[in-house]
Every structure is written in C-alpha cells, then in structure tokens.
Amino acid sequence: MNASTAHGGTLVNLYVEGEALQLEKEKAKSNVSWDLNPKQMLDIELLLNGAFSPLTGYLGRADYDSVVDTMRLADGTLWPMPIALDVTTEFAESLEPGQCITLRDPEGVVIANLTVGEKWQADREREAQQLFGTTDTAHPGVNYLLTSSNPVYLSGSLVGVTPPLHYDFQQYRRDPHALRAHFAELGWDKVIAFQTRNPVHKAHVIMMKRLMAKEQANLVIHTAVGRTKPGDIDHFCRVRCYEKILPKFPAGTCEISILPLAMRMAGPREALWHAIIRQNYGFTHFIVGRDHAGPGRNNMGGLFYGPTEAQELVSSLQSELNIQVLKAPFLRYVEGRGEFCEEHELLSGEAGLYISGAELKQLLVDGEEVPEWFAFPEVVDELRRTMPPRNKQGITLFFTGLSGSGKSTLANGVMVKLRELGGRHVSLLDGDVVRKHLSSELTFSKEHRDLNIQRIGYVASEISKNGGIAICAPIAPYTKTRRAVRSMVEEVGVFVEIHVATPIEVCEARDRKGFYAMARAGKIKGFTGVDDPYETPENPEMRIDTSQHTMTDAVSQVIERLKEMKLL
Ligand code: PPS
C-alpha cells in the first residue's frame, strides 16, 4: 500500500482497489458503524490519502502518549499531533479489540473500515495542557477538545474505501500523490508551500515573491480550508481572494491548492505538523509565519505563544525534516518610501504601518475604506461581498424577559417599525408562536426550554445568515442557553440581546393570561419567576423596563439603539 516517489520520501496510501475493495465493501454491510463528525471527516481524509504519512491509522496508546509528551511517535519519528478516533462511552463499550468497524460520512457513505486496536478513556485535560500549554477554553483548540470531543479514544489500522467527496473548488483539490505528480509534470523541483487561513494582502504577496526569488522556487498557496479558527472568513470567500492575486505573480509560477485540514490552532507544535504535512505533499520549502496557527488571545487578553516561537521550534528541528523551513519576514509599509520593509530595514524614526486581521474586519463592518497600500482593491471587493457593512448584515434581535414583561408587544412594534424603514426582510419568532409551530410537543422542563431556545436560535441564525432580521421573543430564562444562541448567531451575523426588565410585580399585576394567579395557586408548576428561575442577563446590548415607558417610546428606544450600533 506504500509508494515511494521522488518528492518527500515514502507516502502512505490506505485506499484499496479491485477485489480488495469489493471485500471491504462486503465487510461494511455487516459491520457496526460509526458516523464521522466534521472534524473526524477531515482527519480521516488526510490519514487515508497519505498527508499524515507515516501514520497508517489511529495512534495506539504508546504512540499517543509519546506524541502528546514529546512530539514524536514511540519509535522517535517526529510527529507532533495525536490522531485517535474519539467516540462515545456507549459506542466504545460495544466494541472488542480486533473487531472491524465501518466509518461513514454523515450521509452514510462508507469511508473506511477500521480494525479496532486499543480503547482508552482519554485524559483530555492533560492532552490540552501538553498540546496547547493551557486548559483555558478561550483557546479554540482547547475549547473543542474539552467541550466537543468524545471521551473514549480508539486506535487501529484503516483501510480506505471511498475518498470523502467535495463539490467546491474541485480544480484545487489534489491529494499528496496527485500534487507530487503535478509538480513532476510541471517540472517544478523547488516548490514553496504558503499555509494560510486568511485572505491575502499586498504584504503577503511581496513576502511570497521575495522568498520565491531568494530560493529560485515556485510557490503554491496551500490553504487550509477545513476547520480553522472560529470567526475566520469562510474559505469560499478566501479562495476567491487568492484567485484575485494569482495574476500578480509571473505567469505559471504560482498556483492555489486546498488542504482539507482540521486545524487545532496549536501554534509552534502545529507549525511543525504543517511542515511535515507539506513534506508529504511534495513541497520542498515551507513558510512558517509569525504567530503561525495562533489561537488568538487568552482569558487575560494575552497571547498563548510568542510571535516567533513557531519559527524557532520548526527551525530547531530542521535537520530531521525533509523540507526547508523559511521564516516569513514581518513586513510593514513605510509611507514616506511608498514600500514595504522588514523590521530591520526600518530607519530610525520610521514607523511601519500594518493592519491586523481584526482591524481589517472592523474597517469592513464599519463600511470604511481599506487603504490601497494594504490590500488589492479586487480583494477588498471580494471581501465586501462576504462581509457587508453592519447596516447590511443579518441581525438577530433577541428579546428576553419574564412572562408579561411586554416582550411580544415590543417585538411586534419593533418589527413594524423595521418594515417601515425597509431594507431587510424581517421575521418574528415570538415565544407563543414558536411553541405552536416549532415546539408544540415541548413542556416547560429545563431540558425542553433549552431545546425550545436552541430551535429558535437555529432558525434565527439561518435568517441572519441570509441577511435578514430575526426578531425572537421567548422568555429564555437560562444564561447558558442564551449564550449558546449568541455564539451560533455571531458566526453569521449580529446578535442583539434586549433584556425586557419589567419587574415581576408589574408582570404579575398585568397577568394578561392569568398564569401568575394559577402558578401562585399551585395549578401550574415550574412557572418562570414564581417557582422556576429567571437568570438576569449580565451584559445585554440593551435593557428596557416597559413599566417606565409607553410602548411607542420603548419601540423608538430600540430603534435608536440599533442606529447607535450602526445596524440601521
Ligand atoms: S421558554 O422558557 O423561553 O421556553 O418559554 P416560552 O416558550 O417563551 O414561553 C411561552 C409562553 O408560555 C407560557 N407558559 C409559561 N411560561 C413560563 N413558565 C411556564 N411554566 C409556562 N407555562 C406556560 C407563558 O405565557 C409564555 O408566554 P409569554 O408571552 O412570555 O407570557
């Protein structure tokens, strides 16, 4: 199953063909199945196609421990990322070592058969500490590991049946075998890989050109498109941006290729992993960036890793790598000279200009101009299509408060006013209406309330994703669930939480539906504010007490707040 080629050494290929393939398909018919989640789909694609060479399956316990502790397999080979299959306890309990199971994609397509080796309870806190140097869940890799991964790890050898199918950008999807062959066909014997999960700007292009000239090499923008950092610009937009910059390079010297990678944002350790993966794809050079695979800021607002730590780690292991490490210079624009300079090229008194990814996003959402020294106008146009200014973005207005607080009346008033102003489609998801149409089978138990709010959040995020305004008006009494809805919406649009803070005495005095009286008489159990809690929102975008204002005034205040937030 292994094949050697000119570039980069031995490359694993776990797919089988012909009779062997038929046999695996037959086995799959009677095997127990595990449905792979999106992250596992990305990992398995790279395991099967050899991008994770020398791995031939999920790591056993000894290799796992060794990788976590030393960034090496038990035999000493450099490999920094633990790759095991995480499954639920119930599923793991049903398995015997040596059993063959089938791994399927979310539609049920057979991706691979796995002969289970070991199974063990993962110590995910320890893994987080060793891998990421922290257990702070502000780190996206830690957060995924501690809150979303499954508790039991499986090891075992894999046999590939069907490569995961992708419909987007097929022209840029070459596996390591195909990319090595492509380089050979083009006669490219020196190729630099540029890893990126962000749109590319002028400084990047200059940096790439400098390195190409220095190394006399071709270059591929080898972009990670799987799971990157939450909040990143989606890969559809990014790849369109890369297409816009290709003409800036001399014809036939630079290409785009896609790497379906589940990034862990593990900084230095991840940079090493990226280098080994690129070696497998047949690259001869790899650019390690400043703050490579950086996870953003920690809970105290500081960095998790030093900006040059990744470059230092990978360079220190150069002698064990079959790929040349190139450190990305940090370029800044010097206005007086009208050019980009490296730090050491700055003259005394010269200040270099630089716009960070976060600052760029801010310029885009504020609808401000992006300076031409920084980005190519055609790239900015592409970014604006995906990230319109705030007054064109989708919004979820989430009114929360006690029964009788005036949420529905206020939400209705705001909806009508927004329709009068025009510009976006508006949908109202009122508490009562949702309970009738979306959640008619649900009760008011904690689990069911959470489910109800999650459903509202899901529909609202779909509306916001498509540029509309979703107005929600449930009681939503629990902070954790409101937070979950906020993060779902904030992936795709703007979330505005409005706490309708009318005091319970007023709500109870209103008692329009007679529920408070029934609750006090014990005829309704678990009524919010009476014998079930309402957790007050701590930092809503707005708080309003409808007993202190006329409804017309309250509606105007909400509209004013939206204007203040530059949403209208
Ligand atoms: S939740 O907690 O967000 O799922 O509640 P929600 O779906 O918004 O509730 C909608 C209406 O149900 C009525 N109702 C109750 N509310 C709270 N607790 C209990 N036990 C209960 N039973 C029925 C209540 O009138 C809610 O409507 P509003 O418009 O808030 O008065």
Side-chain angles (χ1 to χ4, degrees):
M1 274 196 278
N2 294 348
S4 259
T5 61
H7 281 270
T10 304
L11 191 57
V12 167
N13 174 14
L14 299 178
Y15 289 105
V16 288
E17 293 174 346
E19 258 179 52
L21 177 59
Q22 285 318 313
L23 199 71
E24 295 301 324
K25 285 185 174 170
E26 248 347 276
K27 278 193 211 165
K29 287 182 187 163
S30 52
N31 274 353
V32 169
S33 287
W34 171 259
D35 294 336
L36 297 160
N37 63 33
K39 184 229 170 206
Q40 293 171 342
M41 281 297 294
L42 292 160
D43 279 356
I44 202 168
E45 180 166 358
L46 299 191
L47 272 168
L48 296 176
N49 72 17
F52 287 173
S53 298
L55 271 47
T56 55
Y58 296 107
L59 296 182
R61 187 74 202 260
D63 278 326
Y64 165 85
D65 284 336
S66 172
V67 166
V68 166
D69 292 339
T70 68
M71 300 199 289
R72 292 171 189 277
L73 298 171
D75 69 3
T77 309
L78 263 190
W79 183 268
M81 206 52 78
I83 310 285
L85 183 67
D86 58 305
V87 298
T88 58
T89 310
E90 305 76 66
F91 183 74
E93 276 169 1
S94 72
L95 302 177
E96 294 296 330
Q99 187 178 339
C100 181
I101 65 170
T102 291
L103 307 180
R104 296 175 187 267
D105 79 1
E107 262 101 55
V109 175
V110 176
I111 301 296
N113 286 332
L114 170 73
T115 304
V116 177
E118 298 159 274
K119 55 177 177 181
W120 70 96
Q121 192 74 31
D123 185 345
R124 287 175 286 176
E125 292 267 336
R126 180 175 164 273
E127 182 178 322
Q129 191 60 48
Q130 294 296 88
L131 228 60
F132 304 110
T134 176
T135 52
D136 180 348
T137 50
H139 186 302
V142 174
N143 190 44
Y144 181 87
L145 183 64
L146 298 187
T147 66
S148 302
S149 70
N150 292 302
V152 180
Y153 284 2
L154 300 182
S155 72
S157 55
L158 282 167
V159 179
V161 175
T162 323
L165 186 61
H166 299 281
Y167 296 97
D168 58 331
F169 301 117
Q170 286 175 345
Q171 69 275 30
Y172 301 135
R173 290 184 186 269
R174 285 195 170 90
D175 71 14
H177 302 268
L179 198 61
R180 287 181 181 204
H182 182 60
F183 292 158
E185 206 173 292
L186 291 171
W188 287 9
D189 50 12
K190 281 177 159 190
V191 198
I192 303 172
F194 177 58
Q195 142 73 27
T196 177
R197 35 165 273 269
N198 282 310
V200 171
H201 307 300
K202 284 187 177 170
H204 296 115
V205 172
I206 290 168
M207 183 266 288
M208 286 188 260
K209 283 184 174 172
R210 280 192 187 185
L211 293 174
M212 286 165 84
K214 187 162 168 244
E215 302 299 330
Q216 288 294 292
N218 294 98
L219 184 140
V220 172
I221 299 169
H222 200 221
T223 180
V225 303
R227 204 168 49 98
T228 60
K229 196 174 137 203
D232 277 351
I233 292 175
D234 70 51
H235 79 267
F236 300 104
C237 171
R238 286 193 290 113
V239 175
R240 293 196 299 270
C241 291
Y242 306 145
E243 287 175 331
K244 298 278 190 264
I245 62 144
L246 276 192
K248 314 288 175 198
F249 293 86
T253 61
C254 176
E255 292 195 353
I256 298 168
S257 193
I258 273 175
L259 175 67
L261 179 71
M263 288 182 69
R264 273 64 165 175
M265 310 312 300
R269 186 186 273 258
E270 177 136 354
L272 175 62
W273 189 43
H274 287 183
I276 296 170
I277 293 170
R278 271 38 183 247
Q279 181 178 299
N280 288 330
Y281 272 88
F283 289 97
T284 53
H285 295 69
F286 179 59
I287 302 174
V288 181
R290 265 179 82 92
D291 194 25
H292 194 106
R297 305 245 157 211
N298 62 26
N299 270 336
M300 311 295 285
L303 289 172
F304 286 100
Y305 316 113
T308 57
E309 239 180 90
Q311 295 176 335
E312 282 151 22
L313 175 77
V314 189
S315 301
S316 74
L317 294 161
Q318 178 68 76
S319 62
E320 291 186 62
L321 293 168
N322 210 355
I323 191 164
Q324 183 70 39
V325 180
L326 304 175
K327 293 182 188 177
F330 183 43
L331 293 172
R332 283 190 262 180
Y333 186 71
V334 181
E335 246 177 338
R337 290 199 244 169
E339 62 179 8
F340 283 89
C341 290
E342 289 182 37
E343 202 123 31
H344 66 88
E345 294 167 336
L346 290 176
L347 303 174
S348 77
E350 261 182 348
L353 297 175
Y354 172 74
I355 294 180
S356 71
E359 285 163 347
L360 172 66
K361 266 193 199 166
Q362 202 55 52
L363 290 176
L364 293 170
V365 297
D366 289 346
E368 304 270 346
E369 210 172 297
V370 177
E372 254 205 79
W373 64 261
F374 174 72
F376 298 103
E378 50 274 54
V379 170
V380 176
D381 288 347
E382 199 51 63
L383 289 171
R384 287 202 197 279
R385 284 175 62 200
T386 297
M387 295 203 69
R390 283 172 88 77
N391 63 359
K392 297 223 164 50
Q393 284 183 20
I395 312 171
T396 290
L397 298 184
F398 196 89
F399 292 89
T400 165
L402 294 167
S403 172
S405 57
K407 303 182 296 292
S408 305
T409 319
L410 184 55
N412 261 294
V414 170
M415 175 186 69
V416 172
K417 199 69 200 160
L418 288 172
R419 285 200 168 142
E420 179 194 316
L421 292 170
R424 294 177 180 102
H425 294 290
V426 188
S427 301
L428 181 62
L429 301 166
D430 187 29
D432 279 339
V433 176
V434 168
R435 287 236 169 226
K436 189 165 162 209
H437 295 292
L438 267 186
S439 296
S440 57
E441 85 286 17
L442 299 186
T443 66
F444 285 85
S445 69
K446 175 158 188 346
E447 291 69 32
H448 278 191
R449 285 181 198 254
D450 282 347
L451 204 53
N452 181 41
I453 300 308
Q454 279 158 16
R455 288 180 188 173
I456 294 176
Y458 173 72
V459 177
S461 68
E462 284 298 307
I463 293 168
S464 302
K465 184 162 87 190
N466 291 303
I469 301 181
I471 303 183
C472 315
I475 298 176
Y478 309 124
T479 307
K480 199 168 158 222
T481 333
R482 289 194 300 259
R483 229 178 250 155
V485 174
R486 178 186 284 275
S487 44
M488 195 175 357
V489 172
E490 284 182 343
E491 296 252 314
V492 293
V494 183
F495 187 79
V496 182
E497 186 174 24
I498 301 166
H499 176 208
V500 186
T502 312
I504 186 151
E505 304 74 44
V506 179
C507 301
E508 193 160 355
R510 288 177 183 163
D511 205 10
R512 290 226 306 255
K513 300 176 188 167
F515 282 147
Y516 281 98
M518 285 160 79
R520 294 284 177 207
K523 290 184 191 151
I524 304 179
K525 296 275 178 232
F527 195 81
T528 307
V530 177
D531 55 350
D532 206 67
Y534 178 81
E535 297 167 5
T536 305
E538 279 167 16
N539 291 307
E541 275 70 15
M542 184 177 185
R543 218 187 285 278
I544 187 156
D545 172 354
T546 61
S547 65
Q548 300 298 312
H549 308 274
T550 63
M551 255 318 156
T552 310
D553 185 26
V555 168
S556 306
Q557 285 198 30
V558 174
I559 299 291
E560 276 316 305
R561 179 75 183 110
L562 298 180
K563 285 185 179 158
E564 202 179 282
M565 292 175 74
K566 298 191 182 149
L567 292 170
L568 300 179

